[in-house]
């Protein structure tokens, strides 16, 4: 079964030091842990703007 599902996630930083690099790395780390522990999916993260 080869299927792709896409979600759009919006972050609204509450601190000045939170930037797109930090948020992207955090998102990749969280999804990576879940993907590895469940073996249920692969994923890719793409910066839209």
């Amino acid at each position: 079964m080869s299927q792709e599902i896409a979600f759009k996630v919006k972050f609204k930083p509450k601190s000045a030091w939170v930037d797109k690099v930090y948020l992207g790395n955090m998102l990749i780390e969280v999804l990576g842990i879940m993907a590895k522990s469940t073996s249920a999916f692969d994923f890719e993260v793409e910066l839209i703007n």
Side-chain angles (χ1 to χ4, degrees):
M1 181 166 131
S2 181
Q3 166 182 332
E4 286 190 11
I5 301 168
F7 294 93
K8 182 176 181 178
V9 178
K10 291 184 180 183
F11 290 101
K12 296 179 182 178
K14 294 184 177 183
S15 298
W17 60 268
V18 177
D19 63 5
K20 63 184 175 185
V21 173
Y22 174 81
L23 292 170
N25 287 341
M26 180 190 65
L27 184 59
I28 290 167
E29 184 171 345
V30 169
L31 289 173
I33 290 168
M34 292 182 68
K36 185 176 180 182
S37 67
T38 64
S39 299
F41 61 92
D42 291 321
F43 69 97
E44 65 181 59
V45 174
E46 178 181 345
L47 179 61
I48 295 173
N49 71 9

